[in-house]
Amino acid sequence: MRHTFACPLRWADMDALGHVNNVVYVDYLREARLALTTAPGRVLALEIDYEAPLVFRPEPVLVESRIDGDGVLVQEIADRQEDGGRTVYAKARTTFVRDSVVPRVRPDPALAAHVPVTVRARDLGSDGDVDEVATLELFQESRIVFLQGLVARQEPRVVRRTAVTYLRPYGRGAAAYAVHHGIGRVGRSSFEIRAELVDDGAEGTDGPVVVASSRTVIVAVDAQSRRPRPRT
């Protein structure tokens, strides 16, 4: 059964390009998930493909959700046209924790660029842990710093795809957090950023431990048409 949730937009949801920020899409997905009659549980992994830009307007956007045969939550952020057509802005798949095992993953030494991040009180969910939307925002904040140090000229680019794995709960505490970055696959008009959110002093561990990891595909676009273009 498909569940449809009408999610209102806010002016603060927009980014510097006048589109809904890529992290805010995940907030819309969460709002729709919480509106479901049955809560699937804690999020383990999220994959989201950004299909089209969404701009501010007074009308809400629709979030359509269904749970497939494997227990994965499949969602689309979309508009319906009067002629029966649809405009899809994002597609997502959310996987949930099936057991209580918390893995201990050490940081990948190949991700050599480290950007410190700070957890704020607003990042915490009702359980006192940083929620999945705030985690994605920490990845975004650190990615901007990483890219500023990587390229000499800031050229137009957009996020095309993000995949995040939430390995273990983490909170505000006194621990030091940093996001470790590195470059993955490189294509003609796109490249991938690999990242790990690391707790440098996780309680009960004997060293740094990864609390979440992500892979983000960045696409270079033309400033006027907003279409993909070859990287310089």
Side-chain angles (χ1 to χ4, degrees), residues 8-88:
L9 281 66
R10 295 178 177 176
W11 180 254
D13 296 344
M14 303 300 113
D15 61 16
L17 298 175
H19 306 149
V20 171
N21 181 271
N22 66 92
V23 173
V24 176
Y25 280 105
V26 182
D27 193 29
Y28 295 169
L29 296 173
R30 177 177 60 180
E31 288 291 325
R33 185 178 81 241
L34 295 176
L36 292 171
T37 55
T38 56
R42 184 173 72 83
V43 174
L44 172 64
L46 169 67
E47 301 172 11
I48 179 168
D49 291 288
Y50 300 94
E51 302 289 334
L54 174 61
V55 298
F56 178 79
R57 79 289 178 89
E59 299 81 19
V61 69
L62 300 180
V63 183
E64 299 177 349
S65 307
R66 64 178 177 85
I67 297 178
D68 69 10
D70 296 324
V72 175
L73 179 63
V74 180
Q75 295 176 289
E76 289 185 350
I77 300 174
D79 279 331
R80 296 175 183 167
Q81 278 77 47
E82 293 183 357
D83 61 3
R86 296 169 74 245
T87 300
V88 178

Side-chain angles (χ1 to χ4, degrees), residues 1 16 21-22 71 89 101 108 116 136 153 163 176 189 193-195 213:
M1 181 178 295
N21 181 271
N22 66 92
Y89 301 105
V101 176
D108 184 347
L136 200 62
R153 183 174 60 172
S189 62
I193 296 178
R194 295 176 54 220
S213 63

Side-chain angles (χ1 to χ4, degrees), residues 102-106 168-169 175 199-209 211:
V102 178
R104 180 180 297 182
V105 178
R106 297 302 185 192
R168 57 191 302 129
D199 182 347
D200 286 328
E203 184 179 354
T205 66
D206 55 357
V209 63
V211 298

Side-chain angles (χ1 to χ4, degrees), residues 36-203:
L36 292 171
T37 55
T38 56
R42 184 173 72 83
V43 174
L44 172 64
L46 169 67
E47 301 172 11
I48 179 168
D49 291 288
Y50 300 94
E51 302 289 334
L54 174 61
V55 298
F56 178 79
R57 79 289 178 89
E59 299 81 19
V61 69
L62 300 180
V63 183
E64 299 177 349
S65 307
R66 64 178 177 85
I67 297 178
D68 69 10
D70 296 324
V72 175
L73 179 63
V74 180
Q75 295 176 289
E76 289 185 350
I77 300 174
D79 279 331
R80 296 175 183 167
Q81 278 77 47
E82 293 183 357
D83 61 3
R86 296 169 74 245
T87 300
V88 178
Y89 301 105
K91 298 179 180 180
R93 291 174 58 85
T94 304
T95 306
F96 301 93
V97 173
R98 297 182 181 275
D99 53 48
S100 58
V101 176
V102 178
R104 180 180 297 182
V105 178
R106 297 302 185 192
D108 184 347
L111 306 182
H114 299 179
V115 179
V117 291
T118 302
V119 173
R120 297 180 179 178
R122 57 166 287 211
D123 299 333
L124 307 180
S126 58
D127 56 1
D129 295 326
V130 179
D131 64 32
E132 71 268 20
V133 178
T135 297
L136 200 62
E137 188 169 355
L138 292 175
F139 277 122
Q140 174 182 253
E141 290 294 314
S142 62
R143 182 173 67 244
I144 292 171
V145 175
F146 171 61
L147 286 173
Q148 287 174 340
L150 189 68
V151 295
R153 183 174 60 172
Q154 299 299 314
E155 297 177 314
R157 51 182 175 258
V158 297
V159 175
R160 178 65 180 85
R161 188 174 196 274
T162 296
V164 184
T165 301
Y166 302 91
L167 296 170
R168 57 191 302 129
Y170 68 106
R172 200 171 176 207
Y177 297 109
V179 179
H180 300 185
H181 294 275
I183 298 297
R185 185 192 62 82
V186 176
R188 182 169 179 267
S189 62
S190 66
F191 61 95
E192 179 188 64
I193 296 178
R194 295 176 54 220
E196 292 177 342
L197 178 54
V198 176
D199 182 347
D200 286 328
E203 184 179 354

